[in-house]
Amino acid sequence: MSTLATSVVQSVDWAAIAPPGIVAAAALVVLVADLFLPEGRKQPLVGITLAGLVLAGLSLLPLLDGDRSTFCLVGSPADCSYVADRFTLVVQLLVLAGALVAALLSVHTLDELPAGEFWFLLLSSASGAALLPASRDLATLVIALEVTTLPSFALVGLRRGDRLSSEAALKFFLSSVAATAVTLLGVSFVYAATGTLHLEAMAKGLQGVDPRLDTLAAAGAALTVVGFAFKLAVAPFHFWVPDTYTGAPLPVAGYLSVVGKAAGFAGLILVTVVAFRPYAHVWGPAVAVLAALTMTVGNVGALVQRPDRPRSAVRLLAWSSIGQAGYLLVPIAAAAYTDPDRQIGTTLAYALMYAAVNLGAFGVAALVGRTAPQNRLTDYRGLHGGHPLAALAMAFFLLCLAGLPPGVIGLFAKVAVFSSAVDAGLGWLAAVMAVNVVIALVYYLRWTVLLFAKPGAEPAAAVRPSGPSRPLGAAIALTAVVGIVLSGAPQLVLRFASATLL
Amino acid sequence: MNDTVLQYVLAAAVLLPLLGAAAALLPPPPGLKGKNPDQAVLRHGVTVTGLVLVLSIVLAAGFDHDNPATMQASTDISWIPALGIRIHLGIDGISLPLLVLTALLTFLCALYSYFKMPAGPSPKAFVALLLLLETGTLATFAVLDLVLFFLAFETVLIPMYFLIARWGGENREKSALRFILYTLLGSVIMLLGLLLIGLKAGTFDMVALATDNGSPLSHSTQLIAVLAIGLGLAVKAPMWPLHSWLPDAHTAAPTVGSVLLAGVLLKMGTYGFVRILLPAAPEGMQTFAPYLAALAVVGIVYGSLACLALARRGAGGDLKRLIAYSSVGHMGFVLLGIATLTPTGVNGALFANIAHGLITGLLFFLVGALKDRYGSTDLDSLAGQTGAALYGKAPRMGGLLAFAAVASLGLPGLAGFWGEMLAMFGSFKPAPGLDRGAYLVFTAVAAFGTLLTAAYLLVVVRRVCMGERDTVQAAPALADVRGYEFAAWTPLVVLTVLAGLWPAALLGLTDPAVRTLLGGS
């Protein structure tokens, strides 16, 4: 009996799977508790959500001492489906902290949104995003990706009776489902060629693939990567992003731009660098071209935004997030040419910086959105008069995104990305990125200038002082403090750029 | 003085303005409220920049003048080990004069603004930006790490952008945007070159790179690095044809902005050539030096011709714009000196750097004062048909303007003379391996440029300072030099004369350091 149990029933390392597990459990608790709470008294749900996320974050601490893996194949214990190594922990930290800040941003919008559903969906999506970096077989990876994105469709369309919101959700849904279908097709091809779903084993299998199946394997690899590129809104698959972000409730847009992206990037790194390592000569140049294309499309798209259009602030952040995704791809492309460890760390360091300051920018946008529901760029004119601290914070966030001092951490994150490109010999990509940094500065700076400009003739809604709600203020303060501390000690995130993570 | 003391003094001089900038944004503490909040914050600016000036003078006094080639007051601590970036500060005979010049000009600007705040939004932000700018410029001259140099180089962009865009004159936002975009594009490309050097040589440390004398870098690496870094520095310097951001920025900037832009920011470009490119990529410099020299002399002639065109009657020339173009010419001499790759030429370049900072700073102050009095710097409306007769209306002011003009045209005995003469000397006998024939042509063209420079400056003096007796009596009556203006300008005048009469004080500092950087040639 006991021998049967050990051979069939796996032993589960509960501590290792605690981070996504706790979030998933909190999601279920919220779902059930929502049934028993009367309408209008949903406050405890906020507490449960925040507590769940914080607890999940704390559960990362015991895992710091070393790599752990669980759900391993009984036959070959090296093939595990869930690995909690440094890479996993860093991405999980990013995901959980990002979800926490997004939750703080959402607290004040609850009057417009159905509370129970909102928190449940947010936590579900976060649990998927936390599971994703740990997955080491393609099936788990795809499932985690779907757990991350499926609740997001509902989150995007959650504003009842809002046509824009439902349209955004539909667009998001259709493009995402198409991406999943393509990924699954690719996975099935690769599985057919190698006979395994585990990433490490797949890398070995691809090296000695039957020559007759070579085309199949290569096509499978390409399709899988394309599917991930679709999810990441890499150009030319980016068209759904601006409409989805502008249609979604603002905190959800912030969540998608940070947590959604981080999860997608973790998946892409795992697929390319670990599973398809033998095909580096194929996906390396492809990712490099995609990176150049993405950053250019995103930055030019942001540059041509008209500032007086409704919701132009969020639209600009959406386009800029596409541009930033392009920078994030650069080290991944570089990983094909040199030692991948350093490059992955650079991507993570950049993602951490981007997460903090981008959520901060969304926080200030949420603050302005309280008094100016249109959230046009022109509504930010003279923000410094009404909310001096929020304006200073926003200027800092925008300059970090632009990568100019006083946003020192943004500058060093860019330096790290540039240095991976130069290190890998991708001089042309570095030059394209240099031009893009200049293009991006134009629109970030334009926005920054607006913050300090004299209030215009039209009644500027943003100037009317209306204190931020406490959670919103906390979110902005938290991200600003993280940004400032990192600017003084960039080593805190950049150390990943010199560490072995996977 | 003890080196550890100096080390703290240097670190304090770089950090103090940064802390001061943050403090300027806070409400003033109880004891220091002053007459009103505006006055309090402007006084804060004067205090902090004054302290920095004192620190820089202490540095200069404590500096071991017998060994100007060795790095002194150095601090070397690890900051971002992941990227191999260290906080490495230090000064030698090349950076010390620039450091003192920066501290002096910023202090004078703060002092000037205390009495004559440029029109625009609150002084609070003005002082904070001025101090942030000072941190960036001081750090540029004090750091010895390539990436840190880039950080310092970038730090000045945002403050200068806002100084122009918020407190400037006509067309300010467009000019400010053009300034920041040009310089950013240049400096991002420079970053690529810096990273290339750093990754290939395995260190970002300028001292280590200078000691290695470029040996770890292959020839092609050096070529690419010089091209990329040189492009970024040339935009900043500015070198013809990358100068087109400069006239607009200068014309739109407030007086203080112009002074610092010309007096300090341009020097960051030429300093980078001497500090980074000469020692770290000597072979690359050897290849590109003739092109650099050619563009430099084109800049000299171009700047002078542009000034002549602006100075003509009926051309509608703006005095600020004219001085901006004259900067293009003067910086051409600096670049020519560097491009000779000889100790003589490079010393001349460094001397001309300082002289240009003093003289052009003074000129921009004077033109700013003219603008306050006349409400315009348009040369035609200023001078009318017969000349503005400044000698009669405001004799001291007229005298100072004439003094600054003749100093700028390189009158022997004043600071402007030595740098340009040494640069041409260097070009007359360039480093071995460079084509002497070409350099002789450059020398001749540059010499012709000095004639043109003299021509337009004398035209300006004639049109602004001289004039009919009627003009003197005609309204408006002009206030002559005021007390605070004297305070702000006298140091510049004194130093211009001093550097002209006693050039050895400066050359004695730079020469040994230059010889070390050029590899003992």
Side-chain angles (χ1 to χ4, degrees):
Chain A
M1 176 64 205
S2 66
T3 48
L4 185 69
T6 46
S7 65
V8 176
V9 181
Q10 296 175 332
S11 74
V12 177
D13 185 348
W14 292 101
I17 62 166
I22 292 174
V23 180
L28 293 177
V29 172
V30 166
L31 188 65
V32 174
D34 181 42
L35 300 175
F36 296 97
L37 287 171
E39 198 63 42
R41 305 187 60 184
K42 306 280 193 193
Q43 290 308 320
L45 297 184
V46 181
I48 298 172
T49 306
L50 297 181
L53 287 170
V54 170
L55 211 60
L58 291 178
S59 73
L60 292 173
L61 291 177
L63 304 178
L64 285 175
D65 54 358
D67 295 358
R68 295 175 177 223
S69 42
T70 185
F71 298 120
C72 301
L73 285 187
V74 179
S76 58
D79 291 335
C80 301
S81 292
Y82 188 106
V83 175
D85 54 14
R86 299 280 302 278
F87 172 78
T88 307
L89 297 185
V90 174
V91 179
Q92 282 179 340
L93 173 71
L94 200 168
V95 163
L96 296 171
L100 184 68
V101 175
L104 287 172
L105 294 183
S106 333
V107 172
H108 74 283
T109 57
L110 283 188
D111 318 335
E112 315 156 25
L113 303 172
E117 286 91 329
F118 180 83
W119 296 121
F120 167 68
L121 291 168
L122 186 72
L123 286 171
S124 309
S125 174
S127 75
L131 172 63
L132 202 141
S135 356
R136 292 302 142 86
D137 72 72
L138 279 179
T140 316
L141 202 62
V142 171
I143 290 170
L145 197 61
E146 285 313 295
V147 175
T148 314
T149 40
L150 274 173
S152 319
F153 308 142
L155 280 173
V156 169
L158 208 53
R159 273 205 308 225
R160 286 180 191 136
D162 186 334
R163 198 183 55 80
L164 204 61
S165 182
S166 1
E167 189 193 316
L170 189 65
K171 240 179 206 175
F172 185 25
F173 177 73
L174 289 178
S175 53
S176 193
V177 167
T180 310
V182 172
T183 312
L184 283 175
L185 187 65
V187 169
S188 64
F189 282 7
V190 181
Y191 180 63
T194 59
T196 176
L197 282 175
H198 286 92
L199 302 181
E200 298 279 1
M202 191 174 278
K204 280 196 205 89
L206 284 175
Q207 273 162 348
V209 96
D210 186 335
R212 282 168 301 172
L213 293 178
D214 210 20
T215 321
L216 186 69
L223 286 175
T224 313
V225 172
V226 164
F228 274 95
F230 215 98
K231 286 257 154 137
L232 278 169
V234 165
F237 312 118
H238 63 281
F239 50 84
W240 56 271
V241 169
D243 290 332
T244 304
Y245 282 21
T246 39
L250 201 131
V252 174
Y255 173 83
L256 285 180
S257 79
V258 169
V259 178
K261 279 234 153 80
F265 268 101
L268 186 65
I269 290 173
L270 288 175
V271 169
T272 52
V273 176
V274 181
F276 299 153
R277 184 82 198 138
Y279 284 124
H281 60 285
V282 180
W283 58 256
V287 173
V289 169
L290 287 180
L293 203 60
T294 307
M295 61 176 88
T296 312
V297 165
N299 285 322
V300 171
L303 187 68
V304 297
Q305 285 308 306
R306 287 212 324 274
D308 50 353
R309 206 168 153 197
R311 301 186 70 77
S312 53
V314 181
R315 199 170 277 274
L316 193 144
L317 284 175
W319 281 108
S320 103
S321 84
I322 299 176
Q324 301 277 349
Y327 305 147
L328 281 167
L329 281 174
V330 171
I332 301 183
Y337 297 89
T338 51
D339 164 38
D341 278 330
R342 240 179 68 89
Q343 318 297 356
I344 294 165
T346 305
T347 299
L348 290 189
Y350 196 92
L352 284 169
M353 180 285 293
Y354 167 73
V357 298
N358 205 45
L359 279 172
F362 269 101
V364 179
L367 175 70
V368 172
R370 277 159 67 90
T371 43
Q374 288 275 312
N375 223 328
R376 294 167 303 175
L377 280 179
T378 42
D379 293 328
Y380 290 77
R381 175 174 279 275
L383 183 67
H384 188 252
H387 299 291
L389 284 179
L392 282 177
M394 187 67 173
F396 178 71
F397 296 139
L398 290 174
L399 290 177
C400 274
L401 287 173
L404 268 189
V408 177
I409 182 61
L411 177 120
F412 278 119
K414 286 227 164 59
V415 168
V417 171
F418 272 120
S419 110
S420 0
V422 172
D423 200 17
L426 290 167
W428 66 271
L429 186 56
V432 171
M433 186 173 158
V435 173
N436 268 286
V437 168
V438 178
I439 299 176
L441 178 74
V442 178
Y443 61 83
Y444 288 129
L445 196 64
R446 215 184 267 160
W447 196 348
T448 312
V449 170
L450 267 184
L451 299 172
F452 299 101
K454 274 199 216 87
E458 58 180 309
V463 179
R464 197 186 324 140
S466 115
S469 73
R470 208 175 292 162
L472 184 55
I476 298 174
L478 183 69
T479 47
V481 166
V482 169
I484 291 168
V485 167
L486 290 183
S487 289
Q491 175 67 10
L492 288 177
V493 290
L494 288 174
R495 67 201 175 99
F496 299 125
S498 63
T500 305
L501 295 168
L502 272 170
Chain B
M1 204 184 296
N2 195 331
D3 205 52
T4 31
V5 178
L6 280 187
Q7 175 188 341
Y8 287 114
V9 172
L10 180 63
V14 175
L15 281 181
L16 195 64
L18 186 64
L19 299 177
L25 293 175
L26 304 173
L32 296 167
K33 279 214 165 44
K35 276 183 238 134
N36 58 48
D38 287 358
Q39 196 250 356
V41 76
L42 284 169
R43 195 181 53 193
H44 168 77
V46 177
T47 320
V48 174
T49 50
L51 275 176
V52 175
L53 178 62
V54 170
L55 288 176
S56 73
I57 292 173
V58 170
L59 267 183
F63 189 80
D64 180 0
H65 289 259
D66 297 329
N67 291 310
T70 46
M71 279 298 159
Q72 302 184 24
S74 25
T75 310
D76 191 3
I77 41 178
S78 180
W79 189 28
I80 313 176
L83 298 178
I85 298 169
R86 308 177 64 79
I87 298 187
H88 190 175
L89 302 175
I91 44 169
D92 64 359
I94 294 173
S95 42
L96 179 69
L98 286 164
L99 208 69
V100 178
L101 175 76
T102 306
L104 175 71
L105 279 176
T106 318
F107 170 69
L108 296 181
C109 284
L111 190 69
Y112 187 79
S113 318
Y114 179 75
F115 293 100
K116 178 78 199 147
M117 173 69 202
S122 83
K124 205 178 216 186
F126 179 83
V127 170
L129 290 171
L130 191 70
L131 292 174
L132 188 58
L133 185 73
E134 187 175 26
T135 293
T137 44
L138 288 175
T140 308
F141 300 130
V143 296
L144 294 171
D145 183 284
L146 292 181
V147 182
L148 229 50
F149 178 82
F150 173 72
L151 172 68
F153 209 77
E154 298 283 80
T155 306
V156 303
L157 293 184
I158 290 289
M160 194 36 109
Y161 171 83
F162 277 102
L163 282 181
I164 298 175
R166 306 304 303 284
W167 286 272
E170 235 174 289
N171 256 336
R172 51 177 186 256
E173 281 177 14
K174 220 172 139 198
S175 313
L177 191 65
R178 185 187 261 213
F179 155 75
I180 198 170
L181 292 184
Y182 256 89
T183 350
L184 182 72
L185 183 60
S187 57
V188 176
I189 293 174
M190 175 177 86
L191 171 67
L192 298 183
L194 295 177
L195 288 172
L196 185 68
I197 289 190
L199 292 173
K200 295 281 181 197
T203 174
F204 285 114
D205 194 281
M206 292 186 199
V207 179
L209 284 169
T211 338
D212 290 346
N213 240 325
S215 51
L217 299 176
S218 69
H219 188 69
S220 55
T221 308
Q222 292 199 19
L223 289 185
I224 299 172
V226 169
L227 207 57
I229 300 175
L231 201 65
L233 296 172
V235 170
K236 194 87 169 187
M239 178 185 81
W240 185 89
L242 303 172
H243 66 280
S244 58
W245 59 271
L246 179 96
D248 287 340
H250 268 306
T251 316
T255 304
V256 199
S258 300
V259 171
L260 289 177
L261 195 55
V264 181
L265 261 64
L266 304 190
K267 276 62 197 177
M268 294 162 58
T270 45
Y271 173 77
F273 271 106
V274 178
R275 171 67 75 207
I276 300 174
L277 286 185
L278 283 184
E283 290 176 38
M285 276 306 276
Q286 181 93 14
T287 309
F288 283 109
Y291 303 99
L292 180 64
L295 292 174
V297 293
V298 172
I300 294 173
V301 174
Y302 173 87
S304 311
L305 288 178
C307 287
L308 265 181
L310 287 171
R312 241 181 1 169
R313 183 169 302 163
D318 183 288
L319 259 184
K320 267 185 153 176
R321 200 176 187 80
L322 187 145
I323 299 172
Y325 271 113
S326 87
S327 289
V328 176
H330 287 301
M331 294 319 276
F333 279 104
V334 179
L335 290 172
L336 176 65
I338 294 169
T340 64
L341 306 182
T342 57
T344 318
V346 176
N347 275 312
L350 291 169
F351 197 96
N353 242 355
I354 301 287
H356 176 257
L358 294 171
I359 298 167
T360 310
L362 181 60
L363 271 172
F364 272 116
F365 267 132
L366 286 164
V367 173
L370 277 183
K371 183 164 191 166
D372 294 336
R373 287 166 172 76
Y374 281 97
S376 158
T377 44
D378 184 81
L379 204 51
D380 283 332
S381 64
L382 213 68
Q385 281 302 311
T386 53
L390 210 57
Y391 283 147
K393 293 183 86 134
R396 294 199 183 95
M397 185 106 168
L400 275 175
L401 188 65
F403 169 81
V406 295
S408 183
L409 67 80
L411 190 76
L414 294 177
F417 172 69
W418 296 106
E420 299 186 356
M421 195 202 66
L422 285 174
M424 283 191 284
F425 259 179
S427 171
F428 185 69
K429 197 164 178 257
L434 294 174
D435 180 6
R436 180 143 187 240
Y439 273 83
L440 283 180
V441 175
F442 298 150
T443 316
V445 178
F448 178 61
T450 58
L451 284 182
L452 293 177
T453 311
Y456 72 78
L457 282 166
L458 291 176
V459 170
V460 168
V461 169
R462 197 187 68 213
R463 293 191 68 195
V464 176
C465 296
M466 301 178 191
E468 301 286 321
R469 184 173 292 275
D470 309 344
T471 324
V472 178
Q473 268 100 38
L478 284 191
D480 209 340
V481 180
R482 297 193 183 89
Y484 68 90
E485 291 173 334
F486 258 129
W489 301 343
T490 314
L492 297 178
V493 174
V494 171
L495 286 175
T496 305
V497 176
L498 208 62
L501 294 179
W502 191 29
L506 206 53
L507 291 174
L509 273 178
T510 55
D511 188 47
V514 166
R515 281 176 197 279
T516 317
L517 283 190
L518 284 173
S521 57

